[in-house]
């Protein structure tokens, strides 16, 4: 026999589950309309009809149409995150970088309307799933830095990788189909690789900038220095890294 606490919490739990399921149904309906007809097709009335609800229900769930679009974008970031393959110790760091870039571009090309919505508003960079995806990218960048492969600092490298993938997708989608050449994507990817990585790991030669970037990447793992000493060393290393 269920306890008094269980019977008291069950209606709330059921209501929460029902709300989550309804919310997901609305998001999926909006994505369907977005995919078939673009952003203009995603009206409150059309989404409500597709989800089998009355329009006021959408306002209770999302606040307004912008809230609904934000939820659709968050769903897109989460779906993109699910496509990312995370290898904590890839055998080839440069090929791992290429594979991650290709994955990002392939998702955009497979979901053009959703991808465009995801990256239409700068404020969506606060999305939890977006930030999680950027953490995966920063992990790739940090491994490159630790191995001496990084040509620029980690933050700039991440920005270049993200910007070239995003630019590749949006440029491809803006072109007429008869002008879309796979060479565009390959060339942009290789330009990205050349911009952020070295031909050989710089820790194998005398280059101080590459060695400094490698030390910066591994600095958080050390426990010998005090916090103040670590901060000072990081400042010195960043100055050396910027000189390369």
């Amino acid at each position: 026999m269920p306890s008094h606490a269980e019977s008291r919490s069950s209606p709330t739990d059921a209501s929460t589950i029902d709300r989550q399921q309804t919310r997901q149904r609305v998001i999926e309906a909006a994505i369907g309309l977005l995919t078939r007809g673009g952003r203009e097709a995603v009206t409150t009335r059309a989404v409500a009809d597709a989800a089998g609800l009355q329009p006021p229900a959408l306002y209770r769930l999302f606040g307004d149409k912008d809230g609904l679009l934000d939820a659709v974008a968050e769903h897109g970031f989460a779906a993109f995150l699910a496509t990312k393959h995370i290898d904590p110790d890839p055998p080839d760091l440069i090929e791992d970088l290429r594979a991650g870039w290709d994955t990002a571009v392939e998702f955009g090309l497979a979901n053009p309307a959703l991808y465009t919505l995801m990256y239409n508003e700068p404020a969506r960079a606060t999305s939890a799933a977006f930030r999680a995806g950027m953490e995966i990218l920063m992990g790739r960048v940090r491994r490159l830095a630790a191995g001496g492969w990084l040509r620029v600092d980690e933050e700039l490298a991440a920005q270049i990788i993200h910007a070239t993938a995003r630019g590749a997708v949006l440029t491809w989608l803006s072109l007429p189909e008869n002008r879309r050449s796979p060479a565009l994507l390959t060339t942009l990817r290789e330009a990205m690789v050349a911009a952020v990585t070295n031909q050989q790991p710089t820790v194998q030669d005398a280059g101080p900038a590459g060695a400094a970037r490698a030390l910066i990447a591994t600095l958080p793992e050390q426990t010998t220095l005090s916090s103040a000493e670590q901060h000072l060393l990081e400042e010195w290393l960043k100055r050396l890294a910027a000189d390369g």
Side-chain angles (χ1 to χ4, degrees):
M1 182 175 179
S3 68
H4 179 65
E6 288 174 337
S7 62
R8 185 175 57 190
S9 63
S10 293
T12 301
D13 293 343
S15 175
T16 300
I17 292 171
D18 183 63
R19 180 183 177 86
Q20 291 172 342
Q21 291 175 340
T22 302
R23 181 183 174 88
Q24 184 62 27
R25 189 165 82 246
V26 173
I27 290 171
E28 290 172 358
I31 290 174
L33 290 167
L34 182 69
T35 301
R36 292 189 297 273
R39 184 166 177 161
E40 295 74 17
V42 186
T43 65
T44 303
R45 170 61 67 183
V47 173
D49 287 346
L53 299 170
Q54 294 298 315
L58 270 63
Y59 293 107
R60 288 194 296 271
L61 289 167
F62 302 100
D64 55 20
K65 182 179 175 181
D66 287 341
L68 170 60
L69 292 175
D70 286 343
V72 170
E74 174 69 14
H75 178 89
F77 285 123
F80 174 43
L81 185 62
T83 68
K84 288 178 175 283
H85 172 68
I86 306 171
D87 186 345
D89 188 24
D92 188 322
L93 293 173
I94 304 297
E95 285 307 310
D96 182 60
L97 174 61
R98 287 190 175 99
W101 195 93
D102 286 343
T103 296
V105 170
E106 287 164 6
F107 178 85
L109 300 186
N111 303 275
L114 179 58
Y115 189 91
T116 302
L117 175 68
M118 288 161 57
Y119 289 103
N120 188 52
E121 300 288 343
R124 294 198 176 113
T126 61
S127 154
F130 175 85
R131 293 197 304 270
M134 290 302 293
E135 277 301 308
I136 293 173
L137 172 57
M138 289 305 299
R140 282 195 168 95
V141 170
R142 202 162 292 120
R143 287 191 292 271
L144 287 165
W149 288 100
L150 210 58
R151 181 186 294 273
V152 297
D153 68 68
E154 293 181 35
E155 183 65 26
L156 179 57
Q159 290 172 0
I160 292 171
I161 295 164
H162 177 66
T164 53
R166 178 178 173 182
V169 172
L170 297 179
T171 299
W172 177 278
L173 296 177
S174 72
L175 294 171
E177 288 193 17
N178 62 355
R179 292 183 58 200
R180 294 176 178 176
S181 169
L184 170 67
L185 305 179
T186 303
T187 302
L188 284 172
R189 184 191 65 199
E190 294 310 302
M192 175 276 297
V193 171
V196 303
T197 66
N198 299 299
Q199 293 291 326
Q200 295 292 332
T202 55
V203 291
Q204 293 181 359
D205 54 42
R213 282 190 282 270
L215 281 172
I216 291 170
T218 57
L219 194 58
E221 301 170 8
Q222 71 80 36
T223 57
T224 304
L225 301 177
S226 69
S227 177
E229 290 170 334
Q230 183 170 328
H231 178 74
L232 182 59
L233 178 57
E234 185 176 6
E235 287 299 312
W236 289 342
L237 290 172
K238 284 181 177 178
R239 286 167 62 182
L240 283 171
D243 198 38

